[in-house]
Amino acid sequence: MADLSTFPITARWPAKHPDRLQLYSFPTPNGVKVSIMLEETGLPYEAHTVNIGANESWTPEFLSLNPNGKIPAILDPDGPGGKPLGLFESGAILLYLAEKTGKLLPADPGRRWETIQWVFFQMAGVGPMFGQLGFFHKFAGREYEDKRPLERYRAESQRLLGVLEARLKGRDWIMGEEYTVADIALLGWVRNLIGFYGAGDLVKYGELEHVPKWLERGLARPAVQRGLEIPPRP
């Protein structure tokens, strides 16, 4: 069994079960991607709450695993070749866990890459744009007199929802009948946009037909319900 004590992050967040994958996260749209993935795959893991509200992701211990200071991050004692592996960036972690478990990523090469492109769609578009809209609509940005940034991110978020709406026409999931990492990547962000950010009316979410049904199906999954609450908030 790997000696995880050699990793500085375990000094602040000790591993009670060092034989299990260690998750360092917080229940944000990016954080819950990994907890949902872990719940869906059934891979044994141990979750540690990194309180981003208290800037714990900027501590030396966390930065030793992710120098970018963002959650989530993982430490897998049984990485490639049986050696420990530390990994950050939620999209990379999703793909790593899919390959490690052989789940939630199509085996067919063509469908595999088609799925991966939708994960990158979330990483490059949905996450950054929805996040900026949240800042300018709900948080400090709403006090700015210049409303052009808000309008820019509103329009782009609405456009991205339109792309997702078109993709889901005639499909239960992003990849049709098969639920994959692409759905896991997107569910938390759409949920957050209309829930925590309260931007549903702003992006005309009520005019969509397929995205709301897809979100409802996703949120009804037991593993998703569990993953949305992991790790617990302090």
Side-chain angles (χ1 to χ4, degrees), residues 75-199:
L75 178 55
D76 185 0
D78 184 26
K83 298 179 180 180
L85 174 69
L87 203 60
F88 63 89
E89 282 296 331
S90 57
I93 296 172
L94 284 182
L95 296 177
Y96 171 72
L97 293 175
E99 292 197 352
K100 179 181 178 71
T101 61
K103 298 179 179 179
L104 300 169
L105 189 62
D108 174 77
R111 286 181 58 79
R112 178 178 181 272
W113 281 109
E114 188 178 352
T115 304
I116 291 172
Q117 77 178 352
W118 284 101
V119 174
F120 277 77
F121 168 77
Q122 183 278 303
M123 297 292 295
V126 167
M129 295 300 104
F130 285 16
Q132 291 293 342
L133 178 57
F135 174 79
F136 285 101
H137 176 60
K138 179 170 182 175
F139 298 107
R142 67 181 180 179
E143 299 175 3
Y144 295 3
E145 291 186 11
D146 187 347
K147 298 305 178 183
R148 285 174 296 180
L150 172 63
E151 174 55 25
R152 170 179 171 80
Y153 294 118
R154 182 211 62 76
E156 183 62 4
S157 295
Q158 186 174 334
R159 187 191 71 81
L160 290 168
L161 281 173
V163 173
L164 188 57
E165 174 78 357
R167 175 65 182 183
L168 288 167
K169 184 178 181 180
R171 295 181 174 92
D172 284 345
W173 306 108
I174 300 297
M175 291 302 296
E177 296 181 359
E178 186 177 5
Y179 172 80
T180 68
V181 289
D183 300 288
I184 293 175
L186 284 156
L187 281 168
W189 275 106
V190 176
R191 171 182 179 264
N192 205 68
L193 179 71
I194 64 171
F196 183 63
Y197 290 164

